[in-house]
Amino acid sequence: MEEAPHTLTPDTQVFRDVFNASPIGIAVENLEGRPLFVNRAFCEMLGFSEEEVSGKHCVDFSPPEDAEKDWAFFQQLRAGSIDHYQLEKRYFRRDGSLVWGNLSISLLKGRQSPLVLAMVEDITAKKIAEEARFRHAAIVESSEDAIASVTLGGVIESWNRGAQRIFGYTESEAVGKSVKILIPPERPDEENKILETLNAGGRIDQLETVRVTKTGERINVSVSISPIKDLYDKIVGFSGISRDITERKRAEEALLEANRTLEAQAKILQSREELLKIFVKNVPAGVAMLDRDMRYLQVSDRFCEDYSVESSQVLGRLHYEVFPDMPNRWKEVHCRALGGETLRADEDRWDREGSTTWVRWEVRPWQGADGSIGGILILAEDITRRKHMEEALSSLSRKLIESQEQERARIGRELHDNISQRLAMLAIGLEQLQNNPLEVPRYVQGLRKETMAISSEVQGLSHELHASKLEYLGVVSGMKSWCREFGERQKMEIDFRCEVSSALPFEVGLSLFRVLQEALHNVIKHSGVKHVEVQLLEQSNEVLLTVRDSGSGFDVQAAKRSSGIGLTSMQERVRLVNGEIRVESKPMQGTTIHVRVPLRPRERAAQRPAG
């Protein structure tokens, strides 16, 4: 049975005016999930009028899978097992498009017929940014090239697996060090010149140079570096991609050596061409040998691999038959090479049917036994992946900055909408007491309690940003203290158990602390329960963190495919300390997060006590 329409008194009219002025969507619903009234921001977010919204049910606004999860929580609210919940879900707009909203639901009990207050913040832009950041982070991490970012002073800030593979330094060994650890001693001024160019707003494009690995080996690399700019176009650092071109350099040197060898064989008829074919076939680079009619005489295995062809299918065929989408400008290059020129390009775009390929190429003539030009050699390196890395890195850098700005905005809203308003109400209360001194004994205890609550909120916000307790109390005691304060603020029970006797490295402790924070915030937002178990154990030279709740749970594989970055953030935190993370969860069957991090013996004795 639906409730009778509510008559607005002057006081409720004031509250409705406040709701309509709010930038966040607000709806008041009955216990059947039907809106009684909504504010202007809610209507504008979804594109419906207030009359259209009032004729719908709360589950009508979302796709089935989102609505099902929301309604499951709503049923718990109706049953009295919870009095509020929060989740991120999608909403249909009137035109059929989807937007993301952060939904907060609270039960209003202080009346004869309980109502439900729903507040929805449009987080579509945040979700799009998260999706892009997740996608770009995955691209960067999977790259075979070395990708890193540095500060204005040349200190390494990020380091991907490709960098570890090429240079030998792990992420923990490289981050915080000067980028000069990669510069050979015989090139002392090179990095200073690079930083001067970058600080002046320039770029470094495919600089071929030499770098030194952790073991002292010299390798040839192609380096591209771009400035990282903040939202105000100010340079705040640099991002770079390094590709190991040692094999390519060796192939080029081998080609030059082959030419010199062929010069020495010039008097032996036919041997020059045959030797060149043998070389081309076995060179560890993308090379093709063509005659004057542009027919294939030989191709290397790498050439076949890069361009998805078989040597048996191309030998004897025209180059332009094999690649009918060949740009006309390249045909002109071939003609010039047949005329005796050697031409090259560090990067060139090839717009093919359905895709774009980026190529670094060199075209040079080859001579027959009589000294005449017998055809051309094409050395082609597919650099498409590297170009994608450069684009992804540039975009990722901006997304990271945007994420920082969003976090600052969140903190600003928290300070303005919560702390500032509560301080303002406290000031009003104090002013009223000043005018009514006889009421001081009656209200002073409540004002003291509110002051302490505000102080706790500010302290909690500070601890979210800086893990100071870990520094002052030690890793374990700091985590335990934070759990207690977080539980008090969120009105939830956190059962924290610890069996760690050894000292934990601060780097390990900080990683575990951030994972714990993320996990507990997810419990608040998604699980719908008020009890969490946290366990920290030391076992076989490893530290184990377990966070378990019996809440709504989720589909782990679907979450990994989604645009959220919570799981990815935890995985990256754990990976930085060479650990492993495993998430066990199913819809309506709770969630358990297992983290396992090794403790290196050489670090254990050097750190502060665990407690």
Side-chain angles (χ1 to χ4, degrees), residues 479 482-483 486 492-497 511-524 527 529-537 543-551 553-554 556 567 570 574 580-586 589-596:
M479 292 174 70
W482 184 87
C483 283
F486 183 80
M492 69 184 301
E493 181 184 355
I494 301 177
D495 182 8
F496 185 93
R497 289 182 293 168
S511 176
L512 294 175
F513 177 62
R514 294 306 186 195
V515 171
L516 176 62
Q517 283 184 311
E518 181 72 29
L520 291 182
H521 278 297
N522 286 341
V523 171
I524 292 296
S527 74
V529 297
K530 285 297 185 179
H531 180 268
V532 183
E533 296 178 8
V534 177
Q535 189 175 51
L536 197 63
L537 301 177
V543 60
L544 311 177
L545 171 66
T546 304
V547 183
R548 179 181 293 108
D549 71 75
S550 57
F554 60 95
V556 176
L567 289 178
M570 289 192 285
V574 174
E580 298 177 354
I581 183 170
R582 178 167 52 89
V583 180
E584 297 176 352
S585 186
K586 291 183 180 179
Q589 296 185 27
T591 300
T592 302
I593 296 174
H594 302 275
V595 180
R596 181 186 302 272

Side-chain angles (χ1 to χ4, degrees), residues 90-385:
R90 295 167 295 174
Y91 289 84
F92 287 120
R93 287 183 53 81
R94 196 174 193 279
D95 60 8
S97 61
L98 287 171
V99 294
W100 275 95
N102 184 23
L103 171 66
S104 297
I105 293 285
S106 299
L107 185 63
L108 305 178
K109 299 179 181 178
R111 53 185 297 110
Q112 184 176 359
S113 301
L115 296 176
V116 175
L117 176 66
M119 303 182 69
V120 185
E121 180 185 6
D122 188 340
I123 59 171
T124 306
K126 187 190 86 168
K127 281 292 185 179
I128 293 174
E130 285 180 353
E131 182 177 4
R133 185 168 62 173
F134 177 82
R135 182 174 61 254
H136 292 146
I139 292 174
V140 168
E141 190 54 36
S142 65
S143 171
E144 294 182 359
D145 294 335
I147 301 178
S149 63
V150 300
T151 66
L152 294 176
V155 176
I156 299 172
E157 286 192 310
S158 67
W159 188 259
N160 76 335
R161 293 180 184 175
Q164 178 175 334
R165 181 184 62 82
I166 292 175
F167 297 114
Y169 294 98
T170 64
E171 185 170 23
S172 60
E173 291 172 330
V175 172
K177 302 292 195 308
S178 171
V179 73
K180 291 184 178 180
I181 62 174
L182 307 176
I183 309 299
E186 63 271 17
R187 297 172 178 249
D189 298 328
E190 182 175 288
E191 187 60 24
N192 292 332
K193 292 179 180 178
I194 289 176
L195 288 175
E196 287 177 7
T197 300
L198 294 171
N199 281 312
R203 292 170 50 95
I204 303 297
D205 290 315
Q206 299 179 51
L207 170 67
E208 295 192 358
T209 183
V210 175
R211 291 291 181 260
V212 61
T213 69
K214 181 180 178 180
T215 61
E217 178 188 0
R218 265 61 171 173
I219 59 173
N220 293 288
V221 294
S222 174
V223 180
S224 295
I225 309 175
S226 305
I228 300 174
K229 298 182 179 180
D230 62 16
L231 299 180
Y232 307 101
D233 210 36
K234 179 182 177 182
I235 297 176
V236 294
F238 311 106
S239 60
I241 300 177
S242 300
R243 164 165 287 193
D244 187 346
I245 59 171
T246 303
E247 282 201 2
R248 196 197 79 203
K249 282 291 187 181
R250 289 172 181 167
E252 291 176 351
E253 292 171 2
L255 181 60
L256 292 174
E257 181 61 29
N259 279 331
R260 286 192 289 266
T261 301
L262 292 172
E263 290 290 342
Q265 298 288 336
K267 295 182 179 180
I268 305 176
L269 295 177
Q270 301 299 321
S271 64
R272 184 182 184 89
E273 182 175 329
E274 294 305 317
L275 285 172
L276 188 55
K277 286 182 181 179
I278 294 172
F279 166 77
V280 169
K281 176 63 178 175
N282 296 285
V283 70
V287 182
M289 178 182 180
L290 300 100
D291 64 17
R292 292 194 61 85
D293 296 325
M294 294 300 293
R295 293 185 182 275
Y296 284 96
L297 297 176
Q298 189 57 277
V299 289
S300 69
D301 292 339
R302 181 60 181 270
F303 184 91
C304 294
E305 180 183 340
D306 284 350
Y307 299 102
S308 303
V309 296
E310 295 286 343
S311 59
S312 59
Q313 297 174 348
V314 300
L315 295 182
R317 293 182 60 191
L318 284 172
H319 185 46
Y320 308 125
E321 288 179 356
V322 177
F323 300 107
D325 53 0
M326 184 72 61
N328 288 329
R329 67 178 184 280
W330 286 0
K331 295 178 181 179
E332 295 175 4
V333 168
H334 301 154
C335 290
R336 292 172 60 183
L338 288 170
E341 292 186 63
T342 295
L343 305 100
R344 60 180 61 87
D346 287 333
E347 62 177 46
D348 204 348
R349 177 174 176 147
W350 182 8
D351 291 316
R352 310 187 66 179
E353 185 175 350
S355 66
T356 297
T357 300
W358 287 88
V359 182
R360 179 188 183 279
W361 54 260
E362 180 176 307
V363 181
R364 60 172 60 203
W366 62 268
Q367 295 179 336
D370 59 357
S372 63
I373 295 176
I376 61 173
L377 292 172
I378 299 177
L379 291 81
E381 178 185 4
D382 188 336
I383 60 171
T384 306
R385 187 176 180 83

